[in-house]
Amino acid sequence: MKRILIIASIIAATMQLNAQGVEINPMTRLQGSESGLYVSPLMNNINLSPDINLRGVSTVRSGGGPLWIVDGVILNNSHLSDLNPLSYLNPYDIQSVKVVKNISHSSVYGGKGAEGAIIINTASPEREGFNVNYHGNAGVTMPVSGVDNSRTGCVTNHALSFTGHQGKTFYGVSGFYTMNQGAMKGNDSSLGGVRTVFTTRANRFLWFTANTAFSLGKMEAAVPGEFLEDWSEDFSDEAVERRVTNSSRITLNILDNLMMNVNLGVDFHNTARYIWYGLGIQEGKEVNGQSFITGTGQFRYSTGADISWFRYFNGKHKLSAEGAFELEGGNTDYTNTGGSDFFSHYLRARGIGLAASDPFINTYKYNYLTLGGYAMLAYDFDSVIGTDVLVRIDNTPRYDDSRVRLYKSANVYADLHKWLMPQEQTVSSLRIDAGYGDAGKESPVPYSMYPLYISGDYKEIDPAYQMFYEGLGRMRSSEFNVSLEAGFLSDRIIVGAGYYDRMTNDSFFAYCFGEEGDNSWWNYVDRMDDYSATSIVANRGFEADLSVKILDK
């Protein structure tokens, strides 16, 4: 009974009700966090995946964006879904967010790093004892005057977590529930999830961590657009999302200067989206209602091992090396079902099979397995000047006769303050960094999504034969970057400036895997080139950062 009272008092003491600064989703953490990072909400809807752009336009095609890594898990590609890729995360679980925008640093990801990376780590239990915390907040938006279907909206967010430990083993469970009632009718979402984390340091040589998250959500979007001139409640866009991720890591401290990590990451993502255009909508007027159902199931796994070593010479020279081997694979099942000429509008999208007289289905399946590895060598002299070089090798299974690709990078840095003016107090730090690197990216594309990647005319295919057509968006980018950062008054004021110069080979290839046979039957055949488009994108710019500690106790 005493423990129950203690837990209740802890919950009461940490309860918050805050109508301002409501944490709706983790994506809000990114806005304004880094120069060169642009976060643009899609159609001003927080439920949908925003347009994430690092350092300007690096591709003329859609479906791009940085690599998302959460607790070491590489998330599934989001080009098959408009949903927010971080919606499954509890915002209060996030411990750190790191934006990798220099290609000289994202080269370590090889064929996945051409558009940078966003690395997110969630909190691990470290405090001793039994701890319980609750976070709650709420916000209200008032109706927009003169806008049809506007209403009073409400958002609430609840998060509950507890952590404990037993000897050198720490564990924790956290859960959250978010309900967002948008300012526009039909623009609602509800999402909940649970995360468990387990970490143990059995001894100084062996550490183990496991992190598992599960989420389930329902999202609605009803935003007027180009084809929704008379939109009303006769239009709906509803999505259901399920996600499970797991990351596990074993760390072996072989020697004081030799460490090995073995990693395993899994991401299962399932979405179903239902879109309805009724008689009140331009797209549905002439066909007595039109509807689409999109189902996507994605499973992605990655495993690998890395080993790192360092050695000091004469107390000032540090030499370090790192090597890694990775295996990554997965599969994607994508189904797009459409229908028109509905005799019953009450069933809407879910009634395509029953109420539509002209339904069609096209499917897309993609399985892959890739191997990769890298080697890195670094040198540092007394933390004053240093350099590192990296070489990575990837293989690609996608329509390429040359299955092995090489990526490389090099970085140099110098602490000018420690080197040239160590006694200067006003200028507390002064550092220059420069680097060069290259990286790639490949996105398999089903035929139904060709319009996102192709600008211009291309062959139109009967929906029944779309399964024979696949595309591949491919990028290879190289970049030179240089930056200078200066700190003043014990780094209470930090000013930074940088320049980058990027060149991207941006290509799209379309392939056919079938041919027309007798009696109009189609048969699978070897790959036939159907369409290709290539362009060069030059992207360069300047960046500036300012950080000020106004009060630091």
Side-chain angles (χ1 to χ4, degrees):
M1 184 66 182
K2 182 178 180 181
R3 170 166 287 193
I4 295 176
L5 293 175
I6 293 175
I7 294 174
S9 65
I10 294 175
I11 294 176
T14 57
M15 186 177 296
Q16 302 173 23
L17 179 61
N18 184 0
Q20 298 179 353
V22 178
E23 286 278 11
I24 300 176
N25 64 63
M27 200 66 74
T28 60
R29 294 278 189 96
L30 299 177
Q31 185 67 53
S33 63
E34 188 85 18
S35 61
L37 173 63
Y38 304 94
V39 183
S40 303
L42 187 61
M43 297 189 298
N44 294 315
N45 190 323
I46 64 169
N47 298 329
L48 301 182
S49 177
D51 184 13
I52 303 292
N53 188 280
L54 281 172
R55 289 187 164 168
V57 178
S58 59
T59 173
V60 298
R61 310 179 199 286
S62 299
L67 184 67
W68 296 93
I69 304 175
V70 179
D71 291 326
V73 178
I74 300 176
L75 299 185
N76 281 295
N77 294 326
S78 60
H79 71 285
L80 292 176
S81 172
D82 289 331
L83 302 182
N84 189 328
L86 300 182
S87 60
Y88 78 99
L89 280 179
N90 180 354
Y92 295 104
D93 280 345
I94 294 178
Q95 185 177 56
S96 65
V97 178
K98 179 182 178 182
V99 178
V100 180
K101 56 186 179 181
N102 292 335
I103 293 185
S104 59
H105 293 144
S106 64
S107 291
V108 69
Y109 304 113
K112 303 182 290 290
E115 293 186 281
I118 297 179
I119 303 171
I120 297 175
N121 289 313
T122 57
S124 295
E126 296 178 349
R127 295 174 55 191
E128 295 185 353
F130 188 78
N131 306 282
V132 179
N133 290 280
Y134 169 84
H135 296 274
N137 49 43
V140 176
T141 58
M142 304 306 294
V144 180
S145 177
V147 177
D148 293 340
N149 293 319
S150 180
R151 64 179 179 185
T152 300
C154 177
V155 56
T156 61
N157 196 5
H158 307 275
L160 179 66
S161 66
F162 78 85
T163 61
H165 89 288
Q166 185 68 39
K168 295 181 179 180
T169 298
F170 293 81
Y171 54 88
V173 177
S174 65
F176 75 99
Y177 174 76
T178 298
M179 187 279 292
N180 177 38
Q181 186 181 60
M184 308 295 291
K185 292 182 179 178
N187 187 11
D188 303 336
S189 67
S190 59
L191 181 68
V194 176
R195 184 178 74 98
T196 64
V197 59
F198 173 88
T199 179
T200 181
R201 296 189 174 186
N203 49 57
R204 59 173 298 188
F205 304 106
L206 176 63
W207 303 344
F208 174 76
T209 299
N211 198 325
T212 303
F214 167 79
S215 69
L216 174 64
K218 177 182 178 181
M219 288 141 278
E220 298 177 347
V223 181
E226 180 181 356
F227 301 103
L228 305 179
E229 295 178 355
D230 302 318
W231 80 287
S232 63
E233 296 186 14
D234 205 17
F235 166 79
S236 63
D237 184 352
E238 176 185 325
V240 178
E241 178 184 35
R242 305 169 186 87
R243 192 161 209 158
V244 179
T245 65
N246 174 265
S247 65
S248 301
R249 166 175 287 201
I250 298 175
T251 299
L252 301 174
N253 296 293
I254 302 171
L255 299 172
D256 290 339
N257 62 343
L258 183 63
M259 177 183 294
M260 181 177 181
N261 294 302
V262 180
N263 306 287
L264 173 65
V266 174
D267 178 25
F268 173 75
H269 190 201
N270 178 271
T271 61
R273 190 174 180 187
Y274 308 87
I275 303 177
W276 164 254
Y277 301 94
L279 295 180
I281 307 302
Q282 179 178 335
E283 286 191 346
K285 288 179 179 178
E286 299 180 359
V287 291
N288 194 36
Q290 187 174 10
S291 187
F292 297 93
I293 300 177
T294 299
T296 305
Q298 293 180 288
F299 175 73
R300 185 168 187 165
Y301 62 89
S302 59
T303 183
D306 63 81
I307 186 167
S308 57
W309 167 90
F310 69 89
R311 175 76 182 273
Y312 281 97
F313 299 91
N314 299 327
K316 292 187 176 182
H317 303 273
K318 180 182 178 182
L319 185 66
S320 58
E322 183 175 334
F325 169 79
E326 301 170 2
L327 182 149
E328 182 185 353
N331 61 75
T332 294
D333 289 328
Y334 173 83
T335 302
N336 184 31
T337 305
S340 61
D341 195 14
F342 281 70
F343 71 83
S344 173
H345 288 211
Y346 292 102
L347 297 178
R348 295 198 168 193
R350 298 177 185 273
I352 283 182
L354 299 174
S357 61
D358 188 22
F360 70 86
I361 300 176
N362 66 78
T363 63
Y364 167 75
K365 296 181 182 294
Y366 169 52
N367 299 290
Y368 72 100
L369 177 66
T370 63
L371 302 174
Y374 67 85
M376 182 174 66
L377 184 66
Y379 168 76
D380 176 90
F381 174 72
D382 200 24
S383 300
V384 173
I385 189 170
T387 183
D388 65 72
V389 293
L390 177 140
V391 176
R392 181 180 176 102
I393 296 177
D394 282 355
N395 83 317
T396 172
R398 303 300 295 181
Y399 323 130
D400 199 338
D401 295 332
S402 176
R403 298 175 63 89
V404 177
R405 301 212 172 154
L406 181 69
Y407 304 95
K408 55 196 176 300
S409 67
N411 294 278
V412 295
Y413 62 87
D415 188 332
L416 301 180
H417 181 270
K418 189 173 181 180
W419 185 10
L420 302 176
M421 45 185 175
Q423 305 303 320
E424 175 63 37
Q425 298 296 321
T426 303
V427 180
S428 52
S429 63
L430 184 63
R431 178 184 170 105
I432 186 170
D433 292 82
Y436 175 85
D438 61 356
K441 185 174 181 180
E442 294 187 352
S443 300
V445 183
Y447 177 87
S448 58
M449 300 189 73
Y450 276 18
L452 294 176
Y453 290 80
I454 300 178
S455 58
D457 297 330
Y458 61 95
K459 185 187 301 182
E460 291 192 16
I461 306 300
D462 188 299
Y465 302 139
Q466 289 187 11
M467 69 182 70
F468 293 97
Y469 287 81
E470 294 184 12
L472 181 68
R474 175 175 290 163
M475 296 171 54
R476 187 178 181 110
S477 298
S478 60
E479 178 192 82
F480 166 77
N481 60 81
V482 60
S483 63
L484 180 68
E485 183 178 275
F488 302 90
L489 305 177
S490 300
D491 285 352
R492 290 180 177 271
I493 301 175
I494 298 177
V495 180
Y499 170 78
Y500 64 91
D501 190 339
R502 178 180 298 181
M503 188 73 69
T504 300
N505 186 314
D506 188 21
S507 305
F508 182 84
F509 306 94
Y511 304 108
C512 175
F513 293 88
E515 66 177 2
E516 191 171 3
D518 297 336
N519 302 319
S520 297
W521 286 95
W522 280 58
N523 303 302
Y524 280 103
V525 297
D526 293 335
R527 185 190 84 200
M528 297 181 293
D529 296 351
D530 189 64
Y531 176 93
S532 64
T534 302
S535 59
I536 300 295
V537 180
N539 181 20
R540 56 181 64 91
F542 292 92
E543 298 172 345
D545 295 276
L546 173 63
S547 176
V548 180
K549 293 181 181 179
I550 300 177
L551 181 63
D552 186 14
K553 293 185 177 180

